[in-house]
Amino acid sequence: MATQTPATRRRDSERARLRERRRGELLDVADEVIQRDGPHVSMDDIASEAGITKPVLYRHFGDKDGLYTALTERYIAELVVALRSAVSAPNPRSRLAATIDAYLSYVEREPERYRFLLHASEQPRTAPLMTDFRHRHVANCAFAAVENIQRAGLDPGFAKPWAECVTGMVRAAGTSWLESRSMPRAQLVEYLTTILWDGFSALRQSVAES
């Protein structure tokens, strides 16, 4: 078996670097088209915008699913970074509020990317990526909640169902709010935080006092 020379390894490394850079550039173009035209764009649309033919896209991504998978991974990574900022909030309730606000801020700031992720969650190739993201997010929420649940004298096993409720409710509210924009983001954040942290007892008390 032939051994690669240092010069051959350098050439191969340079080619790989150039391919990766070109792949990133094509993802940038695809992102621009999605933000302009919505999540249901075609390979033809993206190739035309990039000034190339579809076979060039296939060369870099294999097929349409390959391109959409790469975009899904990119958008999930962006959302993870956006949510990470909430960790620095000073107390549990404010951390919950900050997490909800970070999520809804992404929805507000990147509506077409968020619509793309909603679409990706329904596609066979990309649905596992979205499922993995939700599972990791639920696990993070549950881990953060355990100490507070124990302090309240509750079974720590309550943490995961509570985290499922948090992520499910925020996702559903964010999806609805994306289309309706029925109230300011800050108001929706406060409503969701009140329901999820204080529970419906806070709402009943408010009604009783009115």
Side-chain angles (χ1 to χ4, degrees):
M1 186 169 111
T3 302
Q4 282 190 324
T5 66
T8 301
R9 285 196 295 270
R10 282 195 299 271
R11 282 197 301 271
D12 289 347
S13 177
E14 178 64 14
R15 289 193 192 101
R17 188 182 66 81
L18 291 173
R19 281 196 302 271
E20 188 63 25
R21 186 176 70 183
R22 182 56 175 156
R23 192 173 188 272
E25 291 169 349
L26 292 173
L27 284 175
D28 290 341
V29 172
D31 175 55
E32 290 171 6
V33 176
I34 286 167
Q35 294 209 63
R36 185 188 67 211
D37 300 333
H40 301 288
V41 297
S42 68
M43 294 286 274
D44 286 319
D45 296 330
I46 295 168
S48 176
E49 185 73 16
I52 58 176
T53 61
K54 276 201 298 185
V56 175
L57 279 179
Y58 293 140
R59 190 184 311 150
H60 284 277
F61 299 100
D63 55 17
K64 182 178 179 179
D65 283 344
L67 173 61
Y68 276 41
T69 296
L71 284 166
T72 301
E73 291 171 341
R74 173 183 279 204
Y75 294 160
I76 287 174
E78 291 175 350
L79 184 50
V80 167
V81 170
L83 293 172
R84 197 174 292 152
S85 62
V87 176
S88 60
N91 59 66
R93 191 184 192 281
S94 62
R95 277 197 295 276
L96 175 62
T99 299
I100 295 171
D101 188 52
Y103 187 90
L104 294 179
S105 292
Y106 184 86
V107 173
E108 185 175 51
R109 186 175 64 253
E110 307 291 357
E112 297 306 333
R113 290 174 176 171
Y114 185 70
R115 287 188 178 96
F116 182 93
L117 288 176
L118 292 177
H119 178 65
S121 68
E122 300 171 351
Q123 306 308 306
R125 182 88 168 263
T126 49
L129 295 173
M130 295 300 298
T131 298
D132 178 66
F133 164 72
R134 284 196 294 272
H135 285 170
R136 284 187 286 119
H137 190 48
V138 166
N140 289 339
C141 286
F143 178 78
V146 165
E147 182 180 349
N148 300 304
I149 287 171
Q150 288 177 321
R151 190 180 297 132
L154 299 173
D155 182 348
F158 185 69
K160 189 171 185 296
W162 181 84
E164 295 277 8
C165 290
V166 170
T167 57
M169 184 179 290
V170 173
R171 181 176 184 270
T175 301
S176 175
W177 182 71
L178 171 66
E179 305 304 335
S180 69
R181 301 298 173 95
S182 55
M183 65 185 72
R185 189 184 80 240
Q187 187 177 15
L188 180 56
V189 170
E190 182 55 33
Y191 284 164
L192 291 173
T193 303
T194 297
I195 293 170
L196 289 165
W197 186 261
D198 302 321
F200 286 97
S201 59
L203 301 181
R204 288 198 299 271
Q205 181 179 349
S206 176
V207 171
E209 292 174 351
S210 62

